[in-house]
Amino acid sequence: MSQKIRKAIIPAAGFGTRFLPATKSQPKEMLPLINKPAIQYIVEEAIQSGIEHILIITGRGKRSIEDHFDHSVELENILRSRGKWSQYKEVLDIAKMADIHFIRQKEQLGLGHAVHCARCFVGDEPFAVMLGDDIIHHSKKPALRQMIEQFEQYGKSIVGVQEVEMKEVSKYGVISGKQLHDQVYEVDDLVEKPPVEQAPSNLAIVGRYIIHPDIFDILEKTEPGSGGEIQLTDALKALCSTHGMQANILQGERFDIGDVWGYIHATLSLAMESEELHEKLSNFCSKRLQA
Ligand code: G1P
């Protein structure tokens, strides 16, 4: 029987350069989608997928992420004394959400380096990685849950993928492989940000991974790759050749919220699904379109 996936790592140390100037002095992970910071969606997906321990990898200027998941004693007292019970509960629930740990990546050497910072936290068990820029909205089953169920069946490392337009492939890690059935591929190669003409397929990695702990030995020896950074995809390619690897075609709508359009797209889609906002937004859009 495969080991249980109990731990997830959320790398959140990046500068958010695609979203400047909003991200000059605040972490991109704290930008709100409707009324929740983006990183809260990722933490909620982890919890709903059965994760018990979360490590958020931060960097300088990211203190507000830690504060968000901590108690805010003054605010809690004020809400309680004013009898604002639903807001009080909401604020309290965030602080109690999960067992969340933090570590700082002191140098920005790439995603592979960030994941390597989690070695002591992970120990010797398979674990999940969830990238904060990728919000995958599901109505029935969280993206990570879909992958965990596949892991329980096959016991191999898994990358979460979705089809993207061929002209977009050079923004992603891309896989090639053989389809086993429906959502499941057996991976034979991975390449980080290939030029369009060299891409092995249009199946792009969309920020969800389940990884065998032997990745840490590989990461230690992984040389800088695309963009001069230590790439997780390069280490996964080596892991794939020794341990095998699968991909899961994730069900759900994915938004790249590190990008301004992706962020607007996510905000509008989530607003459309909200009972409170759906009608207001629909009315606003139809008036605008008629104008
Ligand atoms: C990272 C990964 C890439 C993956 C992408 C998904 O790239 O390196 O393999 O496809 O996330 O969002 P980044 O967007 O950080 O450059």
Side-chain angles (χ1 to χ4, degrees):
M1 217 182 99
S2 57
Q3 267 177 288
K4 194 167 182 284
I5 306 294
R6 303 184 307 134
K7 298 179 181 175
I9 302 172
I10 306 178
F15 287 124
T17 46
R18 289 183 293 162
F19 228 116
L20 282 167
T23 47
K24 187 178 167 217
S25 65
Q26 64 172 334
K28 60 177 174 171
E29 294 79 9
M30 289 301 292
L31 293 176
L33 287 171
I34 315 291
N35 62 344
K36 265 192 256 179
I39 196 160
Q40 193 175 328
Y41 288 87
I42 307 283
V43 168
E44 286 175 357
E45 180 190 326
I47 295 164
Q48 286 160 13
S49 300
I51 294 294
E52 295 162 17
H53 308 280
I54 294 171
L55 176 71
I56 302 182
I57 301 170
T58 65
R60 280 183 287 281
K62 302 271 186 172
R63 280 274 298 277
S64 57
I65 301 179
E66 294 179 42
D67 290 343
H68 182 70
F69 292 105
D70 194 358
H71 283 284
S72 174
V73 179
E74 216 180 351
L75 179 62
E76 287 165 18
N77 287 344
I78 286 174
L79 293 173
R80 209 177 33 225
S81 69
R82 292 184 184 167
K84 302 211 176 231
W85 296 113
S86 77
Q87 285 168 316
Y88 172 70
K89 186 176 173 310
E90 192 162 20
V91 166
L92 206 62
D93 283 352
I94 297 168
K96 291 180 167 170
M97 204 164 250
D99 177 20
I100 304 183
H101 307 247
F102 295 89
I103 191 171
R104 278 194 181 196
Q105 183 190 17
K106 291 180 189 147
E107 291 169 287
Q108 300 252 324
L109 301 179
L111 179 60
H113 177 258
V115 170
H116 189 258
C117 294
R119 185 172 201 157
C120 291
F121 168 80
V122 168
D124 194 23
E125 56 185 281
F127 62 101
V129 175
M130 309 172 79
L131 304 189
D133 279 353
D134 292 295
I135 300 282
I136 303 173
H137 184 64
H138 57 89
S139 51
K140 295 193 190 89
K141 200 180 279 181
L144 185 63
R145 185 70 225 155
Q146 297 169 34
M147 293 170 64
I148 289 176
E149 287 180 4
Q150 181 176 328
F151 181 81
E152 284 164 355
Q153 196 177 347
Y154 297 95
K156 281 191 188 176
S157 299
I158 306 171
V159 286
V161 299
Q162 284 190 337
E163 283 190 25
V164 297
E165 280 186 55
M166 206 60 202
K167 65 177 180 0
E168 299 284 311
V169 285
S170 44
K171 292 185 187 162
Y172 297 94
V174 178
I175 66 137
S176 64
K178 230 181 25 255
Q179 190 165 19
L180 286 188
H181 58 82
D182 306 335
Q183 272 181 263
V184 182
Y185 268 69
E186 201 66 46
V187 175
D188 52 40
D189 199 12
L190 302 95
V191 43
E192 179 69 9
K193 304 199 173 79
V196 176
E197 55 293 351
Q198 285 168 28
S201 78
N202 66 338
L203 289 173
I205 302 173
V206 289
R208 297 291 181 278
Y209 309 79
I210 288 177
I211 308 180
H212 190 283
D214 282 357
I215 196 78
F216 293 113
D217 285 340
I218 299 173
L219 280 169
E220 221 155 70
K221 291 178 244 130
T222 303
E223 299 285 336
S226 166
E229 297 190 336
I230 298 172
Q231 295 291 351
L232 180 60
T233 306
D234 294 343
L236 288 169
K237 182 183 167 85
L239 186 74
C240 175
S241 67
T242 52
H243 293 59
M245 185 168 293
Q246 292 183 335
N248 180 305
I249 319 270
L250 291 172
Q251 309 294 304
E253 195 177 5
R254 171 202 171 243
F255 310 104
D256 173 8
I257 54 148
D259 166 83
V260 174
W261 166 241
Y263 178 82
I264 293 170
H265 185 189
T267 303
L268 293 177
S269 290
L270 294 172
M272 272 301 192
E273 288 189 20
S274 139
E275 264 177 46
E276 209 185 321
L277 300 172
H278 177 92
E279 202 183 327
K280 287 180 185 156
L281 182 59
S282 307
N283 291 342
F284 169 79
C285 291
S286 50
K287 271 193 201 137
R288 268 300 166 105
L289 289 173
Q290 281 157 18

